[in-house]
Structures are given as C-alpha cells and as structure tokens.
Amino acid sequence: MTGLSPTGYDLPVYEYMRPPELSGSGRDRYPVVIVGAGLAGLTLACDLASRGIAAIVLDEDDTVGVRGASSRGICYAQKSLEIFDRLGIYHRIRDKGVTWSVGKVLRGQDALYRFDLAEGSRSAQPPFINIQQFYVEWFLVDRIRELGRTDLRWKNRVTDIRQDGDGAVLTVETPDGAYSLEADWVIDASGHASRVRQSLGLPTRGELGEDRWCISDVRFHKDLPVERWTWVEAPFNENRAVWQHLMADGVWRMDYQMLPNTDPTEASRPEVAAARLRDQLGPDVEFDLVWVGAYAYRTQLMDDFRHGKVFFIGDAAHVKSPFGARGGNSGIQDAENLAWKLTLVLNGQAPETLLDSYNAERRPAAVQNIAVTRRSGRFLAPRTEIERMFRTAVMDLAVDHPFARLLLNTGRMCVPYHYAQSPLTTGDAGQALPNLTLGSRSLGGMLRGDGAGFLALCCPRDGEDGLGSTLLHLTREGWPLHVQTVGADEGLTLGMAPGEVLLIRPDLHLAARLPDADAEQVRRALARATGRT
C-alpha cells in the first residue's frame, strides 16, 4: 500500500452504492448512525464493530483524507496506538509509519533541550509513531470491512437532522436523490463545520488564532536524523519557529511559522516553499516537494457534547491548535470513550444514564487540551513584551539549568486525561493504565472482543486464589466483567498489594483501586462505573 505518487498523494476511491432506503427496502430504524468518515468517526465505527455492534457511517466524499491534498495529522500518541492495537490495526501503522521518541528543542544551532519519551514507558506500544492521517483512516476502513458489521455509505451527505421522542431523523443527499434515515443514536464526527450542529442550532465558543503556519511535505535525496527537531527561534526563518520530523514513505513534515499577515497563497507557492528549504538546509539540498499548504489554527468548544440522542466527537465537539498532537489523538479517545458505553447500553447491560458520562469525561479533557495548546501558542508567538522577555530568559537559562528546560513550551505532548472527577470513578482512580504485558497477554488484549467488559485484576493473599474465585460469581450474575488473578511479580509491576483488586474499564482507565477487597466492594465499584449509581 502506498499513498504517494509522482504528483503527490494518491488515495483510494470507494464505490458509491445506492442506499436501500431509495428503493424502499431499508430498515425502519437503525441503532447507531455515524456522520463523518474521518479519523474519529472511523475509529468509533471500528471500535463498535470490534465489540459486536453494527453501525451506519455516512460520508459526503468517497475517499479518506482530503482528496489527497494533505497529510493532515501525523503524530499518533501511545494511548491512540494502544486503542489501535485493540482494534487490530496497530501492526499496520507500526510497519508503515516511523516510530520515534527522541526530540530536540533548538535556538539557532544550540540544542537547548533533548528528550527521550521512551524513558520510563511501560506500554507494549511506543510513545509516538508518525504517519500521515489518511493512512490511519485507510487502515480503519480496511479493518471495518474485515469485521463486516458496518455499512459504509460513501457520497451520502447529511443536510438536516431533527430529533423525535426516542431518536433522530436525518436527511441524506446522494447522487441518486435524497432519503430519510431514522436512528436511535446519532454520532456527529463531521468536523468543525458540522452541518448536524448547525441544523440543531447548537453554538460553539472559540477564536481564530493570530498565528500563521505553512507546511511543506518533502522527500529529501539524502537522509536526515530520525528525530523531532523544534526551533523556537530559527535564524533561517527570521527567528520564528520551525518543526522538522519524518513520517511514512520517507516524507518529512517541515512546518514554518509565518507572520500573522502572511498571504497563504503566496506562502504556499512551490518556489517560495523551495526557497525556505534552501535557507534552512543549504543551496545544494536536493528534494522533491510532495505537498505545500498554509493554515491558521483555531479553538472551538461546544457547551455540551451530548444533545438528546446526538453525540459530538472529535472536531465537531472541540477544535484546538495542533501543538503537542492533541487534536486527532483526543478525537480517537472520544471515540473509544463513547464506544464502550454505547455497547453496554445497546446490550442492555447499563442504563442510558451511563451515556451522560461521555460529556462529563470528554469535555473537561477538551478544556484541558485547549488550555495546554493555548499556552504553547503564547510561548511560540508571544503577544506582549513581558511574554517575549520570559521566553528569552527561559531559553538563556535552559543552556545550563535543567529546571528551565521543562519550561520550554513547544507543545506539551498528548497524554490521556485523568478522569479523577468522573461520576464513574471510585476513590482517587481515573488514570489511564499503560498497555502492560502480563505473562503472554497485554492488558488491552484481555479487553479485546465482543461486548464491553471490565477487567478485575486480583492479587491473591498468601498465594491463595479465593478472591478471584469469589469475583467469578459477579460474572455469573451478568456483570460485564473478566477476572484475572496476577502473580506476585505481576502484582509488583502493577504496584498491587496482596488482597488488592484493580477494576479496569474497557478503555484501560482505572475505575477503582480496592485494597483488601471483597466481592461487595467490587460490585459497588462496578455499579458506579456502569452508571447504575
């Protein structure tokens, strides 16, 4: 598989099929309809299918990406890679993409800070893989087809939506005409210009950033170091910021900060982009331009990610600047968060009130991501003289003082949100666990398969397995629970004491840590985590 051609990116075209509703043979109502076959929408569809839940996906285009015009998001964080491992596409991303963990922050020729994200990592997946977004979407489509439960409808554009008492009705335009589609639940993953959101009259709060950037996707004839380099002040870019890192097909993402009043058309001209590259790497550098495009970042946030029977995920719910790769990765986590909850509700294993926790968990995560990326933007483009003086002082001190290197804010890399305040969390839990390997299986592997099961890890007292056997009664009562007894060494790896139980959610977040646990404590924590209390 390759998306690279001599003229740029060359992507698959999927066949449009006439919807059965236009022939009067469709169902009266569908359980789940997803609007938008982008990164978040396809992740949700794939996650639901992996749990045994069928869905319809409606997309106005017939390919992945943006008509091959852009690589778009390229950095996929460990949490996203763990999700993709459970969905069965991680090995494709790993084999196609570029695994990295080492980065440098520079000012001119001076390396102010060098980091290695792999230090202290305990997951089976690496900290980051760089790969063009359309490849991930491509792999998701292939996997969805393999699972065989999802109806992918290309060239089906949603033009309107209305809610009735127990569901929603969508109006969909196709090359063969318009039709209506009824659904119990609708998930809008159609991006920041969502027609669904507009039809429902739901506002967003946000602002357009003052900063301007220009991406050049480049293939060099001579290899560069496979590291993420960030210049806070690059003399070859008039002392503005520059990013440089590798992705699939030997293509480099070179991202240049522009002046706020830069003309995007002028900045994107091939000869202008080529001149920037020669200013950076020398007049004799040999390269091929794959794609060039200017952009401005924005922030956007809905007041509530749920509106009746309609949920909003990814850019339809929240938009943030790209610093730290917190955009696409947070949309992937939105999808996983909603998928397991919908599965339990559709299977009759949890009340509909569980779905309220989607907004309770994912909106604070979006608020935090917007705050973090906004601070990065202010560091890279100071708006006041005080902010500029602070940045200069941090860079001066970073040369010799480790504490100052932690203040170099070129984008705090994406990490999973800690659901400490979630209504589903017992005690001080809520953190995401790494995809640890215990024996021959990873934690994510134990949660793979139909349904949306929780995992109870039991550390036995004095080598006895009485607690694990007791918890098996909960599974026979119909609770969505898998029970696994861990050995002494595995318990040590997890920081568990004898008699302790870790209750792990289907998304690898910790629902409860229960010392000296008994079955009733686990039952109460499980009831809370499934929205029953």
Side-chain angles (χ1 to χ4, degrees):
M1 172 188 289
T2 178
L4 194 64
S5 71
T7 57
Y9 294 122
D10 188 14
L11 302 180
V13 176
Y14 301 111
E15 182 181 3
Y16 160 76
M17 303 291 289
R18 181 181 173 88
E21 286 74 17
L22 288 173
S23 304
S25 58
R27 292 173 55 178
D28 291 337
R29 184 184 289 266
Y30 295 88
V32 180
V33 173
I34 300 167
V35 182
L39 187 60
L42 289 172
T43 299
L44 177 62
C46 190
D47 204 337
L48 288 172
S50 75
R51 300 181 189 280
I53 302 297
I56 292 179
V57 179
L58 305 172
D59 194 83
E60 63 184 21
D61 208 344
D62 60 0
T63 187
V64 291
V66 185
R67 283 285 169 190
S70 164
S71 51
R72 301 184 78 195
I74 69 166
C75 295
Y76 294 90
Q78 189 170 77
K79 177 61 176 174
S80 296
L81 298 174
E82 292 169 347
I83 293 170
F84 292 143
D85 179 59
R86 182 174 52 76
L87 299 183
I89 66 166
Y90 165 68
H91 65 286
R92 305 179 203 188
I93 294 171
R94 178 200 62 202
D95 294 346
K96 185 66 178 177
V98 175
T99 299
W100 69 275
S101 62
V102 174
K104 291 180 181 177
V105 179
L106 304 102
R107 177 172 60 175
Q109 298 298 317
D110 298 327
L112 304 178
Y113 179 43
R114 181 186 184 279
F115 60 85
D116 187 347
L117 298 173
E119 294 176 357
S121 175
R122 299 193 295 162
S123 175
Q125 278 65 52
F128 275 91
I129 291 180
N130 281 6
I131 185 171
Q132 293 89 324
Q133 180 173 325
F134 60 76
Y135 277 125
V136 179
E137 295 175 358
W138 196 340
F139 297 147
L140 284 165
V141 171
D142 288 348
R143 180 61 177 153
I144 288 169
R145 287 175 159 180
E146 291 169 4
L147 292 167
R149 295 186 171 104
T150 307
D151 184 359
L152 289 166
R153 298 188 182 184
W154 307 102
K155 288 193 171 294
N156 279 244
R157 183 170 66 92
V158 174
T159 59
D160 194 21
I161 184 174
R162 61 181 174 82
Q163 297 198 67
D164 56 25
D166 59 352
V169 181
L170 300 105
T171 302
V172 187
E173 291 281 353
T174 77
D176 291 324
Y179 67 95
S180 294
L181 192 66
E182 295 187 27
D184 293 330
W185 302 99
V186 174
I187 297 88
D188 181 19
S190 59
H192 71 88
S194 161
R195 180 63 184 169
V196 171
R197 195 179 60 234
Q198 293 172 22
S199 294
L200 294 173
L202 301 175
T204 64
R205 306 173 189 273
E207 62 184 9
L208 185 65
E210 298 178 0
D211 235 1
R212 298 294 182 270
W213 297 77
C214 190
I215 291 171
S216 295
D217 288 352
V218 189
R219 292 190 81 171
F220 293 105
H221 295 190
K222 184 178 179 180
D223 292 338
L224 302 178
V226 184
E227 296 180 349
R228 179 184 188 267
W229 288 8
T230 303
W231 283 265
V232 181
E233 292 181 351
F236 50 83
N237 190 39
E238 299 180 341
N239 276 340
R240 294 188 294 273
V242 174
W243 272 265
Q244 167 185 307
H245 40 172
L246 180 63
M247 43 188 179
D249 301 322
V251 177
W252 286 83
R253 163 70 59 84
M254 315 296 281
D255 204 350
Y256 298 90
Q257 187 182 36
M258 302 281 101
L259 289 170
N261 60 354
T262 296
D263 179 357
T265 302
E266 173 67 17
S268 301
R269 288 198 299 119
E271 54 269 35
V272 175
R276 282 195 296 267
L277 288 162
R278 293 190 180 98
D279 287 343
Q280 177 178 351
L281 298 167
D284 299 325
V285 63
E286 296 182 83
F287 58 86
D288 300 309
L289 283 174
V290 177
W291 179 82
V292 181
Y295 70 95
Y297 58 78
R298 68 172 70 203
T299 62
Q300 191 168 292
L301 182 67
M302 293 185 68
D303 290 335
D304 197 319
F305 292 0
R306 178 182 181 181
H307 185 71
K309 296 288 186 173
V310 182
F311 296 89
F312 298 85
I313 68 174
D315 286 356
H318 51 81
V319 179
K320 57 197 70 68
S321 56
F323 306 123
R326 290 171 179 260
N329 286 288
S330 62
I332 292 165
Q333 292 172 49
D334 288 348
E336 183 189 42
N337 186 284
L338 185 56
W340 71 263
K341 296 171 182 177
L342 266 176
T343 299
L344 288 178
V345 171
L346 290 169
N347 286 342
Q349 294 176 298
E352 286 190 10
T353 52
L354 172 64
L355 299 175
D356 292 334
S357 68
Y358 168 70
N359 179 73
E361 292 184 342
R362 293 310 299 165
R363 192 177 186 280
V367 169
Q368 183 185 76
N369 280 327
I370 288 172
V372 170
T373 54
R374 183 177 282 129
R375 286 194 293 270
S376 298
R378 296 290 288 267
F379 187 84
L380 292 166
R383 298 184 186 180
T384 66
E385 188 58 31
I386 293 296
E387 288 180 353
R388 186 168 295 280
M389 290 172 61
F390 170 77
R391 191 180 80 170
T392 299
V394 166
M395 288 191 290
D396 289 344
L397 289 168
V399 176
D400 298 312
H401 300 284
F403 82 89
R405 295 167 196 163
L406 301 177
L407 301 176
L408 291 167
N409 190 349
T410 59
R412 305 301 187 198
M413 302 308 291
C414 180
V415 294
Y417 187 70
H418 186 171
Y419 299 131
Q421 302 303 315
S422 168
L424 309 184
T425 298
T426 296
D428 60 353
Q431 65 268 40
L433 296 178
N435 189 23
L436 294 166
T437 299
L438 300 178
S440 60
R441 300 180 67 191
S442 67
L443 290 180
M446 297 178 194
L447 293 166
R448 189 177 293 135
D450 282 3
F454 285 71
L455 176 64
L457 294 182
C458 308
C459 187
R461 299 179 180 89
D462 300 325
E464 297 178 359
D465 190 20
L467 179 59
S469 300
T470 301
L471 295 184
L472 288 175
H473 290 293
L474 296 177
T475 67
R476 289 191 281 272
E477 293 175 14
W479 293 94
L481 182 67
H482 308 290
V483 179
Q484 180 74 34
T485 299
V486 300
D489 291 342
E490 295 168 337
L492 189 61
T493 299
L494 292 160
M496 298 177 69
E500 189 166 44
V501 171
L502 299 186
L503 183 62
I504 301 171
R505 301 177 359 163
D507 57 3
L508 264 185
H509 280 260
L510 188 62
R513 179 182 287 272
L514 304 170
D516 296 320
D518 58 34
E520 184 56 33
Q521 287 178 308
V522 176
R523 182 185 285 106
R524 287 198 299 268
L526 195 53
R528 185 180 183 92
T530 54
R532 301 193 192 190
T533 59

